[in-house]
Amino acid sequence: MFSGILIEKNETSSLAKIADLDESQLPAGDVTVRVTYSTLNYKDALAITGRGPVVRKFPMVPGIDLVGTVEDSSNPDFKVGDNVLLNGWGVGEAHWGGLAQKARVNGDWLIPMPRGFSAQQAMAIGTAGYTAMLSVLALERNGVTPDKGEVLVTGANGGVGSFAIALLAGLGYTVVASTGRLEEADYLKRLGVSEIIDRSILSGPGRPLAKERWAGAIDSVGSHTLANVCASTRYGGTVAACGLAQGMDLPASVAPFILRGVTLAGIDSVMRPRRDRIAAWDRLARDLDLSILKEITREIGLGEVVQTANHLLAGEVRGRVVVDVNR
């Protein structure tokens, strides 16, 4: 037996709670992992609270991230005792995820534990930091270099936003943060922002084209915010879109794309091929100042997950939440 967060559904709603689980309940897979740490992401919070259609079958163990040690394997790439990491691939949505003391998964979803990180540090980074790195790589591929001008990060106090700021600032970019929590200005400045703007400037309906400002942007918000970011991006700039906290709609026009040559780069972290995952984690090992993890990260146990999920959706959680599944 082992413990985990289990989401069950009745005729009218879903309910998440800590449950005692049996290994026989684990889904099919060729690698069984003894989990050490998981995380609590925005998507996990939607699943746990039932406020978003994240879970595709019930019952479900949420948790889109995990690190741990291989306990059993018939996959040729992994053997008993290997330390492994998983981000995405539908775990916590269609396949039992990391918010439990054991997980059974498809070995093709795993990568070896990246060098240079402890298990706790890898989960402090998690999908949020990995997604932020993929977004930075997209800007680089499209020629957005530090000398081109300011780069905007929306949803700046969230996990992706926090890592995006830290990575960009460390690489020499001038970073502007958009946030609805101006009281967190000191935190954002410690991460490396040069200016902070209120999210209300971008969150309402805007014009098809606005004054050019951003050389690039990383947006985790979507909806009107993303539309306004594109409208104010400079000629030839790139916007990396990686989230939908405001909404999954895009009330924009084609004007920024055909009149200014703006690139809208979609960032998928869920189904990314293994080679891209390893490349992103290699860059994180090289470019991320690990000393900021204490600034960004809060650690909780399984018993605090459900309550913290509600706080996260209420905008009351800063940065990253790491879950020690064994306490």
Side-chain angles (χ1 to χ4, degrees):
M1 302 292 290
F2 61 96
S3 297
I5 303 294
L6 189 69
I7 306 173
E8 296 180 294
K9 187 174 184 179
N10 57 30
E11 293 180 359
T12 59
S13 62
S14 61
L15 175 67
K17 62 181 181 180
I18 294 183
D20 291 326
L21 304 170
D22 189 271
E23 192 165 330
S24 64
Q25 295 176 265
L26 289 170
D30 56 3
V31 179
T32 302
V33 179
R34 169 65 70 173
V35 181
T36 52
Y37 290 95
S38 185
T39 62
L40 182 65
N41 294 279
Y42 187 81
K43 186 183 287 186
D44 300 320
L46 288 173
I48 289 165
T49 62
R51 296 184 200 173
V54 172
V55 178
R56 285 176 264 167
K57 60 182 180 180
F58 295 89
M60 178 59 59
V61 172
I64 64 174
D65 293 327
L66 66 86
V67 292
T69 303
V70 173
E71 198 171 71
D72 184 68
S73 175
S74 59
N75 186 295
D77 292 334
F78 299 100
K79 65 183 185 301
V80 173
D82 284 348
N83 294 319
V84 292
L85 177 148
L86 188 150
N87 305 116
W89 289 112
V91 298
E93 303 172 66
H95 189 97
W96 281 21
L99 283 169
Q101 293 170 330
K102 285 192 179 187
R104 184 176 291 135
V105 299
N106 183 334
D108 293 340
W109 301 343
L110 297 168
I111 65 170
M113 183 70 182
R115 293 181 181 178
F117 301 114
S118 68
Q120 200 271 356
Q121 287 172 332
M123 285 294 93
I125 297 166
T127 285
Y130 154 64
T131 302
M133 190 73 251
L134 291 173
S135 301
V136 171
L137 290 170
L139 298 187
E140 291 180 345
R141 279 195 303 271
N142 285 286
V144 180
T145 50
D147 61 300
K148 294 293 179 65
E150 297 172 314
V151 174
L152 175 69
V153 176
T154 66
N157 278 295
V160 173
S162 295
F163 279 107
I165 291 166
L167 287 165
L168 289 166
L171 290 166
Y173 290 86
T174 302
V175 186
V176 178
S178 168
T179 181
R181 287 185 276 167
L182 297 177
E183 69 276 10
E184 298 281 10
D186 289 343
Y187 164 74
L188 295 173
K189 288 176 181 177
R190 289 194 296 272
L191 293 181
V193 303
S194 62
E195 183 182 346
I196 299 167
I197 62 174
D198 194 299
R199 71 181 177 199
S200 62
I201 294 172
L202 298 168
S203 61
R207 295 179 295 174
L209 282 177
K211 183 178 179 181
E212 295 180 63
R213 180 168 182 183
W214 319 116
I218 295 176
D219 174 69
S220 60
V221 178
S223 192
H224 288 290
T225 297
L226 177 56
N228 288 321
V229 171
C230 292
S232 53
T233 297
R234 293 166 58 177
Y235 189 91
T238 294
V239 179
C242 59
L244 43 71
Q246 185 180 2
M248 64 188 305
D249 59 320
L250 182 58
S253 83
V254 298
F257 313 114
I258 64 174
L259 297 180
R260 291 183 181 164
V262 171
T263 296
L264 179 57
I267 306 300
D268 166 53
S269 61
V270 176
M271 306 301 289
R272 206 76 177 209
R274 182 183 285 180
R275 65 178 181 277
D276 290 354
R277 294 168 181 269
I278 292 172
W281 280 97
D282 285 347
R283 280 291 302 271
L284 283 162
R286 191 174 84 195
D287 295 335
L288 182 65
D289 179 359
L290 294 180
S291 67
I292 70 163
L293 293 181
K294 290 183 180 179
E295 185 77 49
I296 292 175
T297 307
R298 168 188 173 193
E299 185 177 311
I300 64 174
L302 273 180
E304 301 165 83
V305 165
V306 175
Q307 182 180 26
T308 306
N310 284 284
H311 291 316
L312 195 158
L313 293 186
E316 298 167 355
V317 175
R318 183 178 79 184
R320 295 282 294 151
V321 179
V322 175
V323 182
D324 181 345
V325 300
N326 295 300
R327 73 171 177 87

